[in-house]
Amino acid sequence: MKKFFFITILFTILSCNTTEQPAIYGLVYLDVDLSSYHYRDLKNLLATKTVTTPLYDGEKTGYAGVLLVHGLDDVYYAYELACPYEASQSVRIEADDTGLEAECPKCGSIYNIAQGGLRVEGPTTYNLTRYNVIYTSSGFTVRN
């Protein structure tokens, strides 16, 4: 009986072919100064910026990095770069040239990054993980 139970559990674990996660979080703390060289392009609507390493001491960049987006509604968004379907630090979503969508290069899932990170198509059933954006006098802070 123990052998049957062990084989059943083993088969169940091995039959799963994805580690899709509803939300992937890493520690995030970024101070985005829109007048600085690194971030000034984000002033333009639909501009995007990928941050995978901290620029300053004390900053944190999430699980796989952070995608910053200046959305259509003139609101700034910050998303986890890890695709929820792949749930891997090495598989990062990539924003397209329009700033409207991002795609996972491995599974092909597409997300609307200009208005909330909603899933558009692909094998995933989850939206992108969104981080809090708090406006400051010089830009905004991203944190969780």
Side-chain angles (χ1 to χ4, degrees):
M1 185 67 172
K2 283 184 179 180
K3 188 175 184 180
F4 175 75
F5 180 74
F6 175 76
I7 291 173
T8 303
I9 296 296
L10 184 62
F11 179 77
T12 303
I13 292 170
L14 295 177
S15 67
C16 297
N17 44 339
T18 183
T19 56
E20 185 172 22
Q21 299 291 317
I24 300 170
Y25 287 102
L27 289 177
V28 174
Y29 184 82
L30 294 174
D31 276 322
V32 177
D33 180 350
L34 293 172
S35 64
S36 76
Y37 171 78
H38 297 290
Y39 297 114
R40 67 178 171 214
D41 290 342
L42 279 172
K43 290 180 182 179
N44 301 320
L45 281 179
L46 299 178
T48 63
K49 173 82 173 173
T50 298
V51 182
T52 56
T53 56
L55 293 175
Y56 306 106
D57 287 341
E59 289 191 327
K60 306 287 184 203
T61 57
Y63 181 70
V66 179
L67 175 63
L68 303 172
V69 179
H70 189 167
L72 276 173
D73 46 6
D74 202 19
V75 172
Y76 288 94
Y77 296 97
Y79 304 107
E80 173 58 50
L81 279 174
C83 172
Y85 189 78
E86 299 299 330
S88 169
Q89 287 181 304
S90 61
V91 179
R92 297 179 173 129
I93 60 163
E94 299 169 355
D96 66 9
D97 293 337
T98 66
L100 294 171
E101 296 180 334
E103 182 175 359
C104 174
K106 187 167 182 182
C107 73
S109 293
I110 297 175
Y111 305 91
N112 175 332
I113 58 172
Q115 294 182 310
L118 303 176
R119 175 198 171 275
V120 175
E121 65 181 66
T124 189
T125 57
Y126 295 108
N127 299 325
L128 290 177
T129 300
R130 220 165 112 182
Y131 293 117
N132 296 318
V133 173
I134 301 159
Y135 292 93
T136 64
S137 60
S138 61
F140 56 93
T141 299
V142 178
R143 55 189 278 187
N144 56 351

